[in-house]
Amino acid sequence: MSASSIVLMSDRRVAAIPVQERGEVLLDARVHGLMVDDRKQDAAGAWAHVRRGVLTRLQQAQALLPGGVQLLFIEGYRPPSLQRRYFDEYSDELARAHPDWQAAELREAASRFVSPPEIAPHSAGAAVDVTLVDHQGRELDMGTRVNASPEESDGACYTDAPNLSGRARTNRATLGGVLSTAGLINYGTEWCSQSSSCVQE
Ligand SMILES: C[C@@H](N)C(=O)N[C@H](C)C(=O)O
């Protein structure tokens, strides 16, 4: 997928998708067989939760991985206030770097990396950031760190970025392959960002 063909989270077509609360429970990935990283942990344990459908898909994806490789769950549910903070912080960073940009431009650019709070799938428990680790729990080379922004990574956070080593490309293909087979959808601007395909169910 080329960068220009990615539909950004700020696109009005995304906001126009009807959303319906289905009452699916939020479950704690720490007690459902997934390795959960603590870098995003919060006192309430919110970060380790996702909707049951997302958790089931992650478990299916994990079962499809080759031996010695595991998923590492980074961040699931985000309270709306946290999503707002992420979005505002990144928008402010872009505004400082581009003082000539208008609000709409800033919103679009920010949405490459963080969803606008009013449509954010993390705040529905329907998205997760995830990577791969080896048998010793060491993160595999994915070309950038988890949560690298487009600026920090010179665009290498885009899933199909051209400026990647062969190893990083292979590891991304492994991750993306098992997650999409399990029914999760990658946001093409960020290799680690996955949402559930609720609209297809
Ligand atoms: C902040 C980043 N890891 C992330 O989760 N981005 C997606 C697009 C989101 O905020 O929904």
Side-chain angles (χ1 to χ4, degrees):
M1 186 188 290
S2 72
S4 59
S5 65
I6 296 170
V7 176
L8 292 176
M9 291 302 241
S10 58
D11 193 300
R12 66 179 65 156
R13 285 172 289 177
V14 176
I17 296 170
V19 176
Q20 197 184 357
E21 172 57 57
R22 295 160 38 147
E24 206 180 291
V25 288
L26 282 158
L27 295 174
D28 188 337
R30 292 171 293 181
V31 294
H32 286 89
L34 290 168
M35 188 184 287
V36 178
D37 188 90
D38 61 8
R39 78 192 72 171
K40 293 287 185 182
Q41 75 177 312
D42 59 292
W47 101 104
H49 286 72
V50 281
R51 298 276 183 159
R52 181 171 50 206
V54 177
L55 186 77
T56 304
R57 289 170 174 88
L58 289 172
Q59 290 166 329
Q60 287 166 353
Q62 173 122 297
L64 295 170
L65 283 168
V69 180
Q70 254 186 287
L71 292 178
L72 182 65
F73 182 113
I74 306 287
E75 189 179 20
Y77 177 70
R78 274 179 212 150
S81 57
L82 180 59
Q83 184 75 29
R84 160 76 54 200
R85 199 184 90 207
Y86 285 177
F87 190 76
D88 288 349
E89 283 174 357
Y90 183 50
S91 299
D92 290 348
E93 187 184 314
L94 291 172
R96 282 193 296 276
H98 304 279
D100 53 319
W101 283 5
Q102 302 301 306
E105 234 172 329
L106 278 173
R107 181 181 154 81
E108 186 179 313
S111 82
R112 294 166 306 154
F113 179 52
V114 190
S115 295
E118 61 281 7
I119 56 96
H122 277 276
S123 296
V128 62
D129 294 336
V130 66
T131 189
L132 292 176
V133 290
D134 67 14
H135 64 290
Q136 291 185 304
R138 293 176 302 209
E139 288 181 40
L140 300 196
D141 174 9
M142 306 302 279
T144 73
R145 69 176 185 95
V146 168
N147 279 333
S149 71
E151 289 70 29
E152 173 192 335
S153 67
D154 192 22
C157 59
Y158 279 63
T159 308
D160 294 331
N163 49 342
L164 294 178
S165 67
R167 187 184 297 270
R169 202 179 302 284
T170 301
N171 289 338
R172 286 190 189 187
T174 301
L175 178 66
V178 296
L179 291 168
S180 67
T181 300
L184 290 166
I185 296 179
N186 171 239
Y187 188 36
T189 59
E190 231 195 330
W191 59 264
C192 62
S193 187
Q194 309 289 328
S195 301
S196 86
S197 52
C198 300
V199 290
Q200 294 175 345
E201 289 174 355

